[in-house]
Amino acid sequence: MTLTKPTIAAVSGYAVAGGLELALMCDPRVVDEDAVPGVFRRRIGIPLIDGGAVRLPRLIGLSRALDLILTGRAVDARDARSFGLANRIVPRGGRGARRATGRVPAGRSALEPSLLDELADALRREGESGYRAVLDEGLAGAAHFAEGAGRHGGSIERSGSNDGPAD
C-alpha cells in the first residue's frame, strides 16, 4: 500500500474506485482535460478500502474529501486541479507525464520515517473497517446497482430503487 520509488499517475477519462485510489498513491497526478475523478462506489455502499480514505483527506483536506466521499459526486479536471487532486492538466491524449532525465536523488526514501509509519498504521485501520463494511452492506449495494439502481448519480434505496439525482 506504499510505494518506494517516485511514481507519476497519468489519468485519462474516469478515475473512480480502485483507479482513483491508485492515482492517490502516486506523487504527481497528471490528468487529461476530460478526466473525471470521483468516489462513485459510495453510492452503492462500498467504502474506500485501498488507501483512499487515508490519502484523499491528506491530499485535498478533510472538508473536500468528505464532500467527495459522502456524496459520491464527480469533479472535472479543473476542480481536481484547483484543490490539489491533480497537479497538472494536459490536453486530451497528450503526453503530460514525461520521463525525468537524470537520477532522482533519494526519492521517497527521503521522507521522514515517522510519516511513513503513521501512513502504514492508518492504511491498516482503513482496511480493517472497510472490508467489514463491504461485507455488511457493500455486497447488497453492488447487487442493487447491477439491477439498475443508483445509475447516473442516483442513490440506492434499500427497499427499492431510486434512479433520481442523489441528495
Side-chain angles (χ1 to χ4, degrees), residues 20 37-40 42 56 60 63-75 83 85:
L20 176 65
V39 186
F40 295 179
R42 288 303 300 168
L56 191 60
I60 67 173
S63 180
R64 287 187 174 120
L66 285 172
D67 176 26
L68 295 180
I69 291 169
L70 297 176
T71 66
R73 76 180 182 92
V75 294
F83 53 77
L85 184 54

Side-chain angles (χ1 to χ4, degrees), residues 34-122:
D34 65 348
V36 182
V39 186
F40 295 179
R41 66 207 217 169
R42 288 303 300 168
R43 297 176 188 172
I44 59 173
I46 298 177
L48 295 163
I49 56 174
D50 293 320
V54 172
R55 289 184 174 98
L56 191 60
R58 289 174 183 214
L59 188 65
I60 67 173
L62 181 60
S63 180
R64 287 187 174 120
L66 285 172
D67 176 26
L68 295 180
I69 291 169
L70 297 176
T71 66
R73 76 180 182 92
V75 294
D76 62 24
R78 287 186 318 263
D79 284 342
R81 171 69 174 94
S82 75
F83 53 77
L85 184 54
N87 297 85
R88 221 166 6 116
I89 300 172
V90 297
R92 184 175 177 204
R95 298 194 61 197
R98 299 188 195 283
R99 176 177 279 233
T101 57
R103 199 177 150 169
V104 179
R108 288 177 157 265
S109 64
L111 289 174
E112 178 66 35
S114 65
L115 292 175
L116 295 177
D117 292 343
E118 180 185 315
L119 176 62
D121 289 340

Side-chain angles (χ1 to χ4, degrees), residues 4-28:
T4 58
K5 295 182 180 181
T7 308
I8 299 169
V11 178
S12 179
Y14 285 87
V16 298
L20 176 65
E21 290 182 289
L22 284 172
L24 294 174
M25 292 174 83
C26 296
D27 301 300

